[in-house]
Amino acid sequence: MTVKIETKQQAEDFLAQYDYFLFDCDGVLWLGDHLLPKVTETLNFLKASGKKLIFVTNNSTKSREAYLKKFAKFGLTNVSKNEIFGSAYASAIYIKKILKLSTNKKIFVVGEHGIEQELHELGYSTIGGTDPELTNMPADFNALEAPFIKNVDPAVSLVLAGLDTRINYYKLAAALQYLHDPAVTFLATNIDSTFPNKGKVLPGAGSIIQSIAYASGRTPRSCGKPNQEMMEAIKAEHGFDPARAVMVGDRLNTDMKFGRDGGLGTLLVLTGIEPEARVVDLQGTEEEVKYYASKLGDLYELVVENRE
Ligand SMILES: O=C(O)[C@H](O)[C@H](O)COP(=O)(O)O
Ligand SMILES: [Mg+2]
């Protein structure tokens, strides 16, 4: 049975069950650069109540360092780097610890600074990504003369693709040159089809990646939520009992599946991707969420502000 948290008692009963709170970011804490209502108050209240907070985002455009700055901008200055897990970091760890890719090899990036910074931190060289040659595509672009199309770097043995808000034909074409070689590994940071921004739903990493997958006829492995290797990395770092942990998210096929498959409780908030009707319809199915609420800030308003 799914419970909608709407009263003080329901909010207090929910909070009493968990010690660890894993928070998705886009659609839960903020929409782009717009902080959602009472988020800072809620997170500070949970910390003051002795709860442990961990932030788990599929957004690969920022590294953990960059997210620390974003949190601080919103007044959340008591977050440490090891409490942030982004899909760029999850992908870099997968390449390093699971694929054990040599740092002598290069990685072609479709994506933004977050991916490049996390890979560089682990000693990898990248090409593509935010390189101005790719981003500042000339009006008279000629693919056959373009450097990234003409010169395929033999040191590249992996393509990592994620959200790129400045995607263009040149980037897709350059990535494809590498994926023609079946020996080159194809990885994705995440599968999200859309990206919730203030009042708008925009194309997500998954939609960009699908374009490259379709052109290359290849399906990449995705490293972000709901992949349980990301959950294992978080459990290895923080060692929590899944029964005393809850995943708070806005997307059913990433956040809620990630929490459910990891043995955690689940709270879906309606400030991101999913409509309330979809959550209600899932009751009694295996995709049922345990709790849902209109927004994360309801927890603070109900418990601390005694909102009726
Ligand atoms: O397109 C994307 O990459 C995602 O929509 C987005 O960044 C998801 O971030 P999250 O909701 O996991 O914080
Ligand atoms: Mg989200």
Side-chain angles (χ1 to χ4, degrees), residues 29-85:
L29 306 182
W30 50 61
L31 290 166
D33 287 329
H34 167 73
L35 187 69
L36 288 161
K38 302 290 176 62
V39 164
T40 303
E41 296 87 336
T42 304
L43 297 182
N44 287 334
F45 164 64
L46 291 175
K47 277 236 170 187
S49 308
K51 308 295 186 183
K52 295 283 188 288
L53 313 187
I54 298 170
F55 301 93
V56 192
T57 177
N58 269 1
N59 188 320
S60 62
T61 62
K62 288 182 178 63
S63 62
R64 290 164 298 156
E65 288 292 343
Y67 269 113
L68 284 174
K69 295 188 177 76
K70 183 164 186 174
F71 278 112
K73 189 177 73 173
F74 289 133
L76 296 162
T77 51
N78 51 359
V79 178
S80 56
K81 187 171 175 179
N82 79 331
E83 292 167 341
I84 301 171
F85 287 80

Side-chain angles (χ1 to χ4, degrees), residues 151-197:
N151 316 313
V152 177
D153 186 332
V156 169
S157 62
L158 187 144
V159 171
L160 177 58
L163 180 58
D164 185 337
T165 54
R166 302 188 67 180
I167 192 69
N168 61 35
Y169 184 78
Y170 193 179
K171 293 180 179 182
L172 299 175
L176 183 58
Q177 302 321 301
Y178 290 100
L179 294 174
H180 287 319
D181 177 353
V184 172
T185 305
F186 186 15
L187 276 187
T189 58
N190 58 298
I191 61 169
D192 301 59
S193 56
T194 53
F195 171 45
N197 210 319

Side-chain angles (χ1 to χ4, degrees), residues 64 86-101 107 114-124 126 158 160 187-189 223-224:
R64 290 164 298 156
S87 62
Y89 178 58
S91 302
I93 290 293
Y94 179 77
I95 293 167
K96 186 86 174 178
K97 294 192 175 176
I98 309 293
L99 294 183
K100 297 183 174 22
L101 183 73
I107 297 169
I115 297 178
E116 293 169 323
Q117 286 163 6
E118 294 291 4
L119 288 172
H120 295 165
E121 201 170 298
L122 293 186
Y124 290 107
T126 61
L158 187 144
L160 177 58
L187 276 187
T189 58
C223 300

Side-chain angles (χ1 to χ4, degrees), residues 273-287:
I273 293 295
E274 307 293 356
E276 182 165 14
R278 186 131 186 254
V279 180
V280 173
D281 287 350
L282 284 175
Q283 291 190 88
T285 73
E286 65 168 23
E287 284 186 71

